[in-house]
Amino acid sequence: MAILADIQQKARDSLAAAAAAALPDVPLPGVGVQRPREEAHGDLASNLAMAMAASARRPPRQVAEAIVAQLPAAAEAAGLPLHRAEVAGPGFINLFLRPGWLLPVLAEVTAAQGAYARSEAGGGRRVLVEFVSANPTGPLNVVNCRAAAFGDALVRCLNAAGWRAESEYYVNDAGGQFRRLGESLRARAIELRGGELALPEGGYPGEYLIPLAEAFLAAHPVDAPVQAYARFAVERILAQQKESLARFGVVFDHFTHESAIRADGGPERVVAALAAAGHTFERDGAVWLRSTAFGDNDDRVLVKRDGEFTYRVPDIAYHAGKLGRGYDVLIDVLGQDHHGDVASVRAGLAGLGLPVERLEVLLNQLVRLVRGGETVRMSKRGGNFISMDEFLDEVGTDAARFFFLMRTIDTHMDFDIDLATRQASENPVYYVQYAHARICSLLRQAAEAGLVAPPPAALAPDALRHPAEAALMLAMAELPEEVRAAAESRAPHRMTTYARVLAERFHNFYVQCRVIGEAAPVAASRLLLADAARATLAETLGLLGVSAPERM
RNA sequence: GCGCCCGUAGCUCAGCGGACAGAGCAAGUGCCUUCUAAGCACUCGGUCGGUGGUUCAAGUCCACCCGGGCGCACCA
């Protein structure tokens, strides 16, 4: 068990036992133990006394004093290395632990061999995270890039926290937009053959279709059916999207095609089942889902007057299929412009009697690029927008990932290209990577000097007592819990915050505590600490999908 | 009009119901003959949009209001 979780459990046990001894007649509430922000408030703090004050009919501080009086014996019994306890503020019980209580973290990091962040908090629950799922009608853009950074890091965090997470990309390769893509490509082909460019209504004017049209004509006649054009375009564009993603370090476990869902008859079964359950009605020649019965604002059309399904029928079939694949949780990361679709998909699933509560929807908010203090216009009209590839050419994978993951997914963000590309200390991604490179350099030089890190078990109990050393170990001790929280709350951005704190603690240690040249036991124990910090930092960056360079 | 998201330092953003609200940037000041100065130390900067409510305790939860973004198709 991770050292911090272990200590916190022992603290809860101690407090509970002390409270039971001090106030045997008062029912015991859940014991809260937290890490206080202020160092002066001890290593751990509990609100137990304040929670018990009301039922004890005594002031919180009095309750706290009574508990504290019983605490030494209780701590002894629970194996908590308690130094002293004090009552503070409105009735907090602050616990100060014996110096050295953090030393076991070094053994843990060393023994974990790169899997120190790992916990079993997720209990092996299966979760499918769907993200990006951009329409295969053009190159990926900056918002897709944000979704990719988020979804991929979330999957990594979930897996580290003991979930069984997989990634999925839904390919919208059917329906009206698919047809218009084919028509657009055919229009480009006709143009290449000297004809007028006649793009369809709602078609795709982007110039990226021109080389695709050339490629198409190399193998097909210009009068090929629209379906062939569309199929060809989707395959090529999807391949390009996969390339962009691979370059970004994102490889999906699953691709599901809408065309496959249609070919399998999913939409027909959805409509039939919803009708059989009495959740549909006919109006104006269309078949409607009575989605207002499931909390939607309006009823929605399932089958149009012309007999075609609306996009939401395959959507419902797709989500029903995902549930049928046995996941405990489905996470959809959607562009916020699609949030209006969520209610009808939920309604459809509920109408089918499926466990709709397993579906969690996260909305990916917009990204505004800022360069030189000015907003970079990203108009999708006319087909000119900044593609993910162009963006990565300029910013680079590491900075892009780190910057996207510094923000929560549900906040609109300004992406400062100048800051992200600056190779200097004010750039947070370099700040963190630099810490890693600095440690590696230190380790290299230590090796040259013949300095060897001792096995953790060989550390003296009074080793690493410097405040900077303790602060660094404490940060390291927090990693497993931080990853658990990031996974649980679907908030991988917590890991960038954590990475910055960890890097800061190392830089601090580095400046204050020399390694090479110190007396043998000090140098050796610091070398061990530095190496463990390196491993922790590397693992953290790994969860973010950011590289951990050995030299900079 | 309805729905979703967001209003925290000059700017961009963190902040799990807890004790004096944080970081980076920007502005200013120190520190390199010693393991990477892509670093460290310090100064400046806030009625957490507003009003009520719940709570021993609210930036955090609830309601309403104001401001900004986005969406409200028999398009996807």
Side-chain angles (χ1 to χ4, degrees), chain A residues 117-126 156-165 483 487:
Chain A
R118 176 142 194 104
S119 71
E120 297 306 322
R125 277 171 288 176
R126 294 188 64 208
R156 290 171 192 241
C157 287
L158 285 164
N159 280 322
W163 298 67
R164 284 155 62 204
V483 174

Side-chain angles (χ1 to χ4, degrees), chain A residues 9 53-54 82 119 177 289 349 434 441 492 513 535:
Chain A
Q9 188 54 51
L82 183 67
S119 71
Q177 120 185 318
L289 172 65
L349 293 174
Y434 181 62
S441 172
C513 304

Side-chain angles (χ1 to χ4, degrees), chain A residues 182-183 185-186 216 220-232:
Chain A
E183 289 167 357
L185 185 63
R186 186 177 60 182
F216 183 85
H220 306 80
V222 70
D223 61 353
V226 170
Q227 182 73 16
Y229 274 105
R231 197 79 261 152
F232 184 86

Side-chain angles (χ1 to χ4, degrees), chain A residues 408-541:
Chain A
T408 57
I409 191 71
D410 55 8
T411 191
H412 316 166
M413 76 174 283
D414 282 7
F415 193 108
D416 186 337
I417 292 181
D418 299 324
L419 180 60
T421 53
R422 214 172 303 164
Q423 305 216 348
S425 61
E426 63 258 41
N427 186 337
V429 64
Y430 287 108
Y431 180 82
V432 175
Q433 290 184 314
Y434 181 62
H436 185 267
R438 221 178 189 188
I439 302 175
C440 290
S441 172
L442 171 60
L443 297 175
R444 281 193 300 268
Q445 300 206 25
E448 276 175 32
L451 205 53
V452 178
L459 276 189
D462 64 348
L464 303 172
R465 289 288 178 83
H466 191 286
E469 295 168 334
L472 179 54
M473 282 190 285
L474 187 55
M476 289 161 54
E478 284 169 343
L479 179 62
E481 166 60 17
E482 202 55 36
V483 174
R484 187 207 61 75
E488 192 69 39
S489 56
R490 326 294 188 222
H493 76 278
R494 295 178 66 126
M495 302 316 301
T496 53
T497 305
Y498 174 81
R500 293 165 82 173
V501 170
L502 185 60
E504 180 183 31
R505 300 280 177 91
F506 173 76
H507 285 310
N508 218 298
F509 158 78
Y510 183 87
V511 166
Q512 296 189 56
C513 304
R514 293 197 59 78
V515 178
I516 299 166
E518 292 291 316
V522 174
S525 56
R526 286 181 176 168
L527 189 61
L528 178 63
L529 174 60
D531 191 36
R534 181 202 52 74
T536 309
L537 209 43
E539 210 176 328
T540 304
L541 287 169

